[in-house]
Amino acid sequence: MGDPGRSNSVQEVLSLYELALAVGGSMDTQEACEQFLTTLLLRRNLSYAAVWLDPRLWPGGEGDWFLMASMPPARTRTERLSAEAPLFSRLNRGAWTRVAESEPGFEDLTLERGVRGGVHAVFWLAGVGLLKLFSSDPQAMQRRDLARLKAVVEKFASSLEGALAHRQLYAEMEHRVRIQHTLVRQQDLLRSREAELRALIDNIPNLAWMKDTEGRFIAVNEPFAKASGLPIGKILGKTDTDVWPWDLAEQHRREDEEVMRTGRRSSAEIELVGDRGSVWYETFKSPIFDSDGNLMGTVGLATDITERIKSEKALQDAEERARLLLHHSTEGIFGIDSQGLTSFVNPAAAQMLGYGVKELIGRDNHAMVHHSYADGTPMPEEESRMLKAAKTGKSYHVEDEVLWRKDGTSFPAEYHSTPIYRTDELIGAVVTFHDISERREAEQQIRHMAFHDALTHLPNRRLFMDRLEQQLTQIRRYGHQVALHLLDLDHFKDLSLIHI
């Protein structure tokens, strides 16, 4: 028969060799632990085996140790082992320890609930964690066997440390790849947003730009480049002095400094003289700050207001012409609003009416200058054709009325009352008038000369024939009779006939 001791030695060597093969079979931490623990249970007559890992080996890990793998498998892998447990004070005295039930500290190593009897063995897996073995056989895992097992456990610890390092490296690489992918996505998103923003600012009609605190352009749009006559690439990084005429550049510089100093928005109107002639812009500037409130520079927009400036200039010119016309016209001119108040009056009108210009403005026009007929009979406002133009929108031409002076006297006047509209809304009337006293006197003189002798100023034959015709008309209408007497005074009839 063979030597039993030699046979056991061979079995021990084969067992250790199989354990050694189980070590490092996988770079996956979980799989490596399960392979090693399975081989231990089969070859070492064990009831239980488990690997606990130090949480500090994991990124951000801290606190209690956790169960990595066990055989038989635990119901849950959420078990924790406090770093203050008495187990660790025993391990600090050596790389492994064995405690049977009859020895002190057995309870300290009994991590599993309901374990009674048997023997514990714990190996320190340097730099990784610990290996805990249990057998219900008190004679199992003798110190001599555990001493021989130590070399395999140390190799397992090294293999496990490598697997963990590989896992950490893989995790770090995976983390970096995720970061890289995130950065790529963010860069793509940023480029997309930049393209959208560029398309937006390039398609607005306003000039748009952004400058840093030194006044250098960091962004401009196409309308800005077109207005400056330079491509965008030759504007970025440059200042206003490189883009605009010196006086305009100085104006921009002063405005930018004021905006950054006060932190408030500003607006201004500027004139740019170029190939298109004079172009006016209204500029709006604001300071810009980062998320921490630090000043980054300024942003600006400019709107072409050339047409508005031209319209305002044309309006000013028209108003000036109207003012000159009102001031220098010899005709009287005044305006009446929809309430019948005098809205404007020229010096000629004020002089003819005997008022100062300020005395008439804002006063009841009808009550002051058009309140009565020529015979002094009051004229109701509703009969005033002068006021009707401001109420009905019709024009009136009148020659048979009078206007009243401040001193209570009147004069015959010819006037035109014309309605005034503003965007289809009737807002009043403008009245132009002139004194026709001399014309009336001339007309009266002509009538007198037509019907009276120039020498004697007595009625002549024309007046006689006119009155005779009137009487004959009355006779025919009412059936009356009439007698005509003709007297000749010293042949005066013959002399009169000569001058008719």
Side-chain angles (χ1 to χ4, degrees):
M1 294 185 63
D3 185 356
R6 187 174 181 277
S7 176
N8 289 339
S9 297
V10 171
Q11 288 297 113
E12 180 70 18
V13 170
L14 291 175
S15 177
L16 292 174
Y17 178 72
E18 187 174 357
L19 283 171
L21 291 177
V23 173
S26 173
M27 291 304 292
D28 181 85
T29 308
Q30 177 73 23
E31 186 178 351
C33 291
E34 290 177 352
Q35 289 178 359
F36 184 68
L37 295 179
T38 300
T39 305
L40 276 176
L41 259 65
L42 291 174
R43 295 299 181 184
R44 290 295 170 171
N45 189 28
L46 299 177
S47 303
Y48 178 79
V51 174
W52 294 76
L53 294 184
D54 188 340
R56 292 170 296 180
L57 296 173
W58 305 90
E62 59 182 9
D64 298 337
W65 291 46
F66 63 92
L67 181 64
M68 183 64 186
S70 65
M71 285 296 169
R75 293 181 180 179
T76 174
R77 291 181 57 192
T78 59
E79 297 181 37
R80 293 291 187 267
L81 178 62
S82 172
E84 304 299 326
L87 166 64
F88 290 98
S89 63
R90 297 180 66 89
L91 286 175
N92 288 339
R93 294 194 294 269
W96 60 273
T97 185
R98 177 184 184 278
V99 183
E101 183 181 20
S102 59
E103 296 176 353
F106 180 82
E107 293 296 331
D108 295 340
L109 300 182
T110 304
L111 305 179
E112 296 74 32
R113 296 178 182 178
V115 175
R116 294 292 182 268
V119 60
H120 291 290
V122 181
F123 285 85
W124 183 260
L125 304 177
V128 178
L130 58 87
L131 171 67
K132 184 176 180 302
L133 307 176
F134 172 75
S135 176
S136 58
D137 181 2
Q139 301 303 317
M141 295 190 297
Q142 295 297 322
R143 295 184 181 277
R144 176 174 53 98
D145 299 330
L146 296 175
R148 284 196 292 267
L149 186 60
K150 178 183 177 182
V152 177
V153 172
E154 288 177 349
K155 184 177 180 181
F156 170 70
S158 297
S159 175
L160 189 59
E161 186 176 15
L164 289 173
H166 177 269
R167 179 178 182 137
Q168 288 179 340
L169 178 60
Y170 181 80
E172 183 177 353
M173 291 177 63
E174 188 178 44
H175 178 65
R176 291 185 178 183
V177 169
R178 284 197 299 269
I179 291 176
Q180 185 66 27
H181 287 171
T182 301
L183 288 176
V184 170
R185 287 195 300 271
Q186 290 177 344
Q187 289 173 352
D188 291 342
L189 180 61
L190 180 60
R191 283 192 290 268
S192 176
R193 294 287 174 83
E194 287 178 347
E196 292 173 358
L197 180 60
R198 168 59 60 185
L200 175 64
I201 66 174
D202 282 345
N203 284 280
I204 60 175
N206 306 80
L207 278 63
W209 67 90
M210 185 182 297
K211 302 177 189 174
D212 61 19
T213 54
E214 299 298 323
R216 292 184 292 264
F217 289 101
I218 55 179
V220 299
N221 67 348
E222 284 294 342
F224 184 97
K226 184 177 180 181
S228 68
L230 297 172
I232 292 179
K234 291 189 177 181
I235 298 175
L236 299 181
K238 302 299 179 60
T239 65
D240 286 300
T241 306
D242 304 309
V243 177
W244 307 116
W246 184 87
D247 54 345
L248 181 58
E250 279 297 298
Q251 180 180 345
H252 277 304
R253 183 187 61 79
R254 290 192 299 268
E255 291 172 356
D256 292 345
E257 289 179 352
E258 183 68 13
V259 167
M260 290 189 288
R261 184 182 66 82
T262 63
R264 292 181 298 188
R265 298 176 181 177
S266 72
S267 62
E269 293 182 357
I270 62 172
E271 182 182 16
L272 179 62
V273 179
D275 296 338
R276 295 190 300 160
S278 180
V279 181
W280 282 89
Y281 292 96
E282 185 174 19
T283 63
F284 299 90
K285 298 180 179 181
S286 297
I288 50 175
F289 303 89
D290 62 17
S291 57
D292 296 326
N294 299 314
L295 181 65
M296 296 175 58
T298 59
V299 63
L301 287 173
T303 303
D304 188 338
I305 58 170
T306 305
E307 292 304 317
R308 192 192 80 187
I309 293 295
K310 289 181 179 179
S311 298
E312 291 176 352
K313 181 64 167 57
L315 180 60
Q316 291 174 356
D317 292 344
E319 290 177 346
E320 178 63 16
R321 288 193 296 270
R323 187 189 66 81
L324 293 174
L325 176 63
L326 284 174
H327 186 76
H328 295 286
S329 175
T330 57
E331 279 200 335
I333 306 173
F334 58 76
I336 304 173
D337 64 18
S338 59
Q339 304 301 318
L341 305 179
T342 304
S343 56
F344 63 87
V345 62
N346 73 336
Q351 183 179 12
M352 281 188 279
L353 296 170
Y355 288 97
V357 171
K358 293 182 179 179
E359 292 181 274
L360 291 168
I361 299 296
R363 303 287 297 278
D364 187 333
N365 183 274
H366 183 76
M368 297 185 73
V369 303
H370 198 224
H371 48 78
S372 303
Y373 292 104
D375 60 1
T377 304
M379 178 189 295
E381 288 189 7
E382 58 270 17
E383 294 182 9
S384 171
R385 287 173 285 181
M386 187 179 292
L387 292 179
K388 282 184 179 180
K391 299 181 181 299
T392 65
K394 296 181 179 180
S395 298
Y396 293 88
H397 176 212
V398 179
E399 295 181 311
D400 58 353
E401 293 179 357
V402 298
L403 296 181
W404 294 86
R405 299 186 182 93
K406 181 179 180 181
D407 61 7
T409 61
S410 65
F411 61 90
E414 179 184 8
Y415 69 80
H416 294 263
S417 185
T418 306
I420 302 175
Y421 290 89
R422 177 184 293 158
T423 60
D424 299 330
E425 178 187 2
L426 181 62
I427 62 172
V430 60
V431 178
T432 61
F433 70 93
H434 57 274
D435 187 342
I436 59 173
S437 298
E438 293 182 359
R439 191 178 81 185
R440 288 293 171 83
E441 291 178 359
E443 290 172 350
Q444 182 65 28
Q445 184 177 1
I446 292 172
R447 282 195 298 270
H448 180 80
M449 292 175 64
F451 293 105
H452 293 78
D453 183 78
L455 181 62
T456 64
H457 297 289
L458 294 173
N460 61 15
R461 185 175 181 177
R462 286 194 184 92
L463 181 59
F464 166 75
M465 297 301 294
D466 180 74
R467 296 297 185 267
L468 178 60
E469 184 64 32
Q470 292 179 14
Q471 290 301 316
L472 292 175
T473 301
Q474 293 290 328
I475 290 170
R476 296 187 190 100
R477 178 178 300 174
Y478 300 108
H480 295 168
Q481 294 181 347
V482 64
L484 175 64
H485 297 274
L486 180 63
L487 297 177
D488 186 6
L489 300 177
D490 297 332
H491 301 285
F492 188 79
K493 178 176 73 72
D494 297 332
L495 180 61
S496 179
L497 291 173
I498 295 174
H499 294 281
I500 293 177

